[in-house]
């Protein structure tokens, strides 16, 4: 894979994510009261959290995405800090 192919694939991924966030946040903003109440009860989060998510710019990831990213980084750092076992040479 060339660097150009890699970068174009990465750009498409980011663009798709941004467009999806924008679409979903616009849909949240235009929900009527019964649909919003059903969503709140289904997801188990407050209307304030939904309003905050709907008001975020599309280039900001959601709080769930950020939490997942932080967990992944924490796992990577804990794995990289563990040193490999030492081997003992039998004489």
């Amino acid at each position: 894979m060339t660097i150009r192919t890699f970068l174009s694939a990465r750009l498409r991924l980011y663009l798709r994510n941004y467009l999806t966030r924008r679409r979903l946040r616009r849909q949240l903003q235009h929900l009527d009261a019964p649909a919003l109440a059903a969503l709140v009860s289904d997801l188990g989060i407050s209307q304030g959290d939904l309003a905050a998510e709907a008001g975020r710019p599309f280039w900001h990831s959601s709080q769930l995405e950020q939490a997942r990213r932080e967990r992944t980084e924490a796992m990577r750092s804990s794995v990289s800090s563990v040193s490999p076992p030492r081997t003992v040479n039998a004489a």
Side-chain angles (χ1 to χ4, degrees):
M1 174 183 283
T2 66
I3 188 76
R4 185 176 179 171
T5 306
F6 173 77
L7 290 176
S8 86
R10 201 71 175 164
L11 181 62
R12 284 193 307 269
L13 176 68
Y14 284 131
L15 185 60
R16 186 184 66 206
N17 286 340
Y18 289 160
L19 294 175
T20 301
R21 285 185 203 141
R22 184 179 71 174
R23 179 180 49 81
L24 291 175
R25 289 176 181 164
R26 283 184 178 174
Q27 288 173 348
L28 274 177
Q29 291 171 347
H30 294 98
L31 284 178
D32 58 351
L36 187 60
L39 189 61
V40 165
S41 67
D42 287 346
L43 295 178
I45 59 176
S46 69
Q47 280 187 324
D49 290 340
L50 280 177
E53 184 63 33
R56 294 174 72 127
F58 69 89
W59 58 85
H60 288 181
S61 59
S62 71
Q63 292 174 349
L64 294 175
E65 289 177 62
Q66 290 175 351
R68 180 184 50 81
R69 198 173 302 126
E70 289 170 2
R71 281 193 311 270
T72 303
E73 289 299 319
M75 287 174 53
R76 285 182 184 161
S77 65
S78 68
V79 168
S80 64
S81 65
V82 175
S83 59
R86 299 181 76 166
T87 58
V88 178
N89 293 335

